[in-house]
Amino acid sequence: MLLPSSDTSVLLSTAYFPPIDYFVAIANGGEVRLEQCESYSKQSYRSRCNIFACDGVLSLTIPVVTSGNNTPIRDVKVDYTKKWLQQHTRALVSAYMSSPFFEYYQDEIFAVLESGEKYLFDLNCRLLDVLMENLGLNKGIVLTEDYLPSHLIGGDVLDYRDKIHPKKGSPIFTEELKQKPYYQVFSQKYGFVSGLSVLDLLFNEGPQASSFLRIDSRK
């Protein structure tokens, strides 16, 4: 796996409360490109995230409405006939209400969740903006204009679209992030858990969260 640097662009798929690796790529890379021309992929971070709850890792998934196989990601709608919003909000409160910085960020994040965005891509983009701002990642995002498979992408672009994936196992930047694990509410019960949504890092470390994303600072 090539590491992101200021000389390389990073290509990412949209994601719901993306995992920490997603933001490691953004923090250490150059230009950020967000894929808007792909087809929707089930069981990926595009519509799910993992948080650290009192019973261990908990997956939160947004139910969506598609037009069948190969639905363009921009056409995927959020299914508000399901009670996912109430479930996700309660789960986040239960998991992080005792974390040091949850109260500081919750209103802004919940306001986006409760905004009723029609499309998954638009909801994810609004959440991404909020997360990047609070992580101090002052980078613009360029949306792709067409879809290119990995083998047609130039060497100056690192393609993480399907490398940062819940079924890929361990976080991809584990070896590069050498610093001690950050604080987690339930670590005394389960030990440190990696591969979670960046919400876990933000709620637990607050303004210091960005320092855990920098590969160079850990050498």
Side-chain angles (χ1 to χ4, degrees):
M1 167 60 63
L2 294 176
L3 299 180
S5 72
S6 59
D7 297 325
T8 57
S9 298
V10 294
L11 177 59
L12 298 160
S13 289
T14 185
Y16 175 57
F17 290 133
I20 292 173
D21 270 347
Y22 192 98
F23 290 93
V24 171
I26 292 175
N28 294 279
E31 181 181 71
V32 180
R33 302 185 185 183
L34 189 63
E35 181 62 74
Q36 68 165 347
C37 300
E38 65 178 357
S39 296
Y40 174 66
S41 176
K42 297 178 180 179
Q43 298 182 341
S44 70
Y45 287 126
R46 291 161 182 82
S47 57
R48 66 180 286 185
C49 68
N50 293 327
I51 65 171
F52 196 174
C54 61
D55 294 324
V57 177
L58 174 65
S59 292
L60 302 177
T61 302
I62 295 182
V64 297
V65 179
T66 68
S67 57
N69 294 332
N70 301 318
T71 302
I73 188 66
R74 291 301 303 259
D75 294 339
V76 175
K77 298 178 181 178
V78 177
D79 187 355
Y80 287 102
T81 67
K82 306 294 196 314
K83 295 182 179 180
W84 69 270
L85 180 57
Q86 183 182 53
Q87 294 170 349
H88 289 203
T89 301
R90 287 180 175 177
L92 289 170
V93 171
S94 177
Y96 296 111
M97 56 189 277
S98 61
S99 64
F101 297 95
F102 176 71
E103 290 187 355
Y104 183 81
Y105 300 112
Q106 65 169 330
D107 289 346
E108 188 175 12
I109 290 172
F110 286 172
V112 177
L113 282 179
E114 295 167 0
S115 64
E117 284 288 351
K118 182 177 181 180
Y119 293 98
L120 175 68
F121 190 89
D122 294 335
L123 175 61
N124 285 350
C125 282
R126 288 189 61 187
L127 291 171
L128 180 60
D129 286 343
V130 169
L131 291 170
M132 288 181 63
E133 179 181 358
N134 285 299
L135 289 166
L137 299 175
N138 300 315
K139 297 186 177 185
I141 294 177
V142 177
L143 300 181
T144 60
E145 297 182 356
D146 51 27
Y147 180 81
L148 292 176
S150 293
H151 69 278
L152 294 180
I153 294 176
D156 60 335
V157 179
L158 297 181
D159 182 5
Y160 295 113
R161 290 174 297 182
D162 291 311
K163 292 182 173 64
I164 300 176
H165 195 284
K167 292 190 175 182
K168 297 292 184 179
S170 300
I172 61 177
F173 297 117
T174 299
E175 292 302 316
E176 288 74 34
L177 300 179
K178 303 292 187 182
Q179 194 171 332
K180 65 181 180 180
Y182 60 86
Y183 169 81
Q184 291 177 324
V185 173
F186 301 108
S187 60
Q188 289 188 341
K189 183 176 180 181
Y190 296 101
F192 180 78
V193 176
S194 61
L196 300 171
S197 165
V198 77
L199 287 178
D200 189 78
L201 175 61
L202 186 64
F203 290 153
N204 285 308
E205 292 293 339
Q208 298 301 315
S210 61
S211 66
F212 289 83
L213 304 175
R214 304 288 181 180
I215 290 176
D216 289 344
S217 69
R218 293 173 174 246
K219 292 182 180 179

